[in-house]
Amino acid sequence: TSIGTEEPKTPAHVVKITGNDSDNLEITLDKVTIENKKEPNNTPGIVLMSGSATLALKGNNAITGSNMGPAVQINKDAVLTIKDSGAGDGVLVARTASNNNTAAIGAPRNAGTFAAKAQRSGGKLIIESGTIDAYAGNNGAAIGAGNEVYFGDIVINGGTVKAETQNHYAIATYTNLKTEDWTNDVGGLIINGGTLTAINNNKGGNCVKVNGF
């Protein structure tokens, strides 16, 4: 299990997490701001490379990814849980750059430095508590999958979740997949508690696209 920062050719800072299924790795974000929207393509703000980990939110936290880089990236087979730290004031604001083709929280858009294994597919997201405000630009869901990408299950057990996009599905586990690319790893949306607001600002556009829905 490891956690650290990566510095690409420009001064971007990426929180890179490698978890382990046997660990209870928990990282507290305490009023953290990561702003990577002007950095090289495919640069996320936070990335869970593999395994399982929990982000505990304390205060207001704002994360922005680069073009085609999610704010919070969850690679294939990884499982990320997001929750309030227990203080009751945990907020995560996750944003993508405009015209991004990727999710604000979810799968990587392309394989590369932060997604060598992912190959345009993502893991699983569990939201337990806290306030989550995710916004994506063009052709990417706020939570889940970007363009021509798939994602695993999205589970909401509690908290207040807002997913908003400029002109795309607010929550999606697949978008624009070719028939030959379909896989049973495409996830669903499971809501056990909390509140979810999904907004697609494209007039008449659908808000949710998941397996089984």
Side-chain angles (χ1 to χ4, degrees):
T1 300
S2 64
I3 178 172
T5 61
E6 291 279 339
E7 296 189 25
K9 293 179 181 179
T10 59
H13 283 80
V14 180
V15 177
K16 183 178 177 182
I17 304 166
T18 302
N20 186 298
D21 292 337
S22 63
D23 290 344
N24 184 22
L25 177 63
E26 182 170 309
I27 301 100
T28 298
L29 299 183
D30 186 352
K31 303 179 184 67
V32 172
T33 297
I34 300 174
E35 177 66 80
N36 283 348
K37 67 181 180 180
K38 294 183 179 180
E39 304 306 333
N41 287 353
N42 308 310
T43 303
I46 297 173
V47 54
L48 178 57
M49 297 293 292
S50 61
S52 300
T54 297
L55 292 181
L57 308 176
K58 186 175 182 181
N60 292 322
N61 301 276
I63 313 295
T64 305
S66 75
N67 184 49
M68 295 188 289
V72 179
Q73 179 173 307
I74 307 165
N75 282 357
K76 182 175 173 60
D77 299 325
V79 180
L80 180 67
T81 299
I82 301 176
K83 68 175 187 178
D84 182 84
S85 67
D89 63 351
V91 176
L92 173 62
V93 178
R95 294 285 185 270
T96 66
S98 61
N99 303 318
N100 201 322
N101 289 293
T102 194
I105 303 174
R109 167 64 174 145
N110 295 304
T113 303
F114 300 104
K117 182 183 176 182
Q119 301 298 324
R120 288 191 167 188
S121 59
K124 177 179 179 179
L125 173 66
I126 302 170
I127 298 174
E128 293 288 354
S129 56
T131 298
I132 314 298
D133 184 350
Y135 182 88
N138 291 329
N139 299 321
I143 298 176
N147 191 32
E148 299 179 336
V149 176
Y150 71 85
F151 191 70
D153 286 336
I154 299 167
V155 182
I156 301 174
N157 293 325
T160 301
V161 181
K162 179 182 177 183
E164 182 177 3
T165 58
Q166 184 173 329
N167 69 350
H168 203 68
Y169 302 101
I171 291 184
T173 55
Y174 68 101
T175 61
N176 299 327
L177 281 184
K178 298 177 182 178
T179 302
E180 59 267 28
D181 292 333
W182 181 263
T183 167
N184 289 332
D185 290 335
V186 174
L189 173 63
I190 302 163
I191 303 175
N192 298 316
T195 61
L196 169 63
T197 302
I199 301 170
N200 179 348
N201 285 304
N202 182 23
K203 186 176 181 180
N206 294 324
C207 290
V208 177
K209 186 176 185 180
V210 297
N211 193 5
F213 183 83

